[in-house]
Amino acid sequence: MTALQLNAELYRAIGEIATDETLLAKVLKYVKSLAPTKTENTEAGWADRFAGAWKDSRSTEEIIRDIRESRSHNSREIEL
């Protein structure tokens, strides 16, 4: 079967499904069953694992100063 024939067959089948509400409901139920279900544990609160993860003996001011001092400026010339 060529790609064009397969495409035509799919359109024909979709037309039959779309006109039969019972069949359409069954297909939709099947397709939804293929997708993994999301659980609250995997979505909610995932960022909480990182809260307080930074361990450092420096003060906040020292960390800010170190970050600012480590910044560098790009001196490349970019032609548009």
Side-chain angles (χ1 to χ4, degrees):
M1 180 177 282
T2 67
L4 289 174
Q5 290 170 328
L6 179 60
N7 194 20
E9 182 64 23
L10 286 171
Y11 275 116
R12 185 192 63 73
I14 289 172
E16 290 176 11
I17 292 170
T19 57
D20 184 346
E21 288 187 30
T22 305
L23 185 57
L24 182 58
K26 287 179 182 179
V27 170
L28 289 174
K29 183 178 178 182
Y30 173 71
V31 169
K32 287 179 182 178
S33 74
L34 296 175
T37 57
K38 293 181 181 178
T39 62
E40 279 190 36
N41 294 341
T42 57
E43 292 294 321
W46 67 268
D48 293 339
R49 293 182 292 152
F50 302 107
W54 184 278
K55 304 286 188 217
D56 203 319
S57 60
R58 297 174 292 171
S59 69
T60 305
E61 291 79 19
E62 289 174 311
I63 294 172
I64 292 171
R65 185 186 68 240
D66 289 347
I67 290 171
R68 287 185 174 151
E69 288 176 355
S70 66
R71 290 180 181 167
S72 62
H73 296 284
N74 188 353
S75 59
R76 291 187 306 171
E77 293 288 328
I78 300 175
E79 186 176 318
L80 300 175

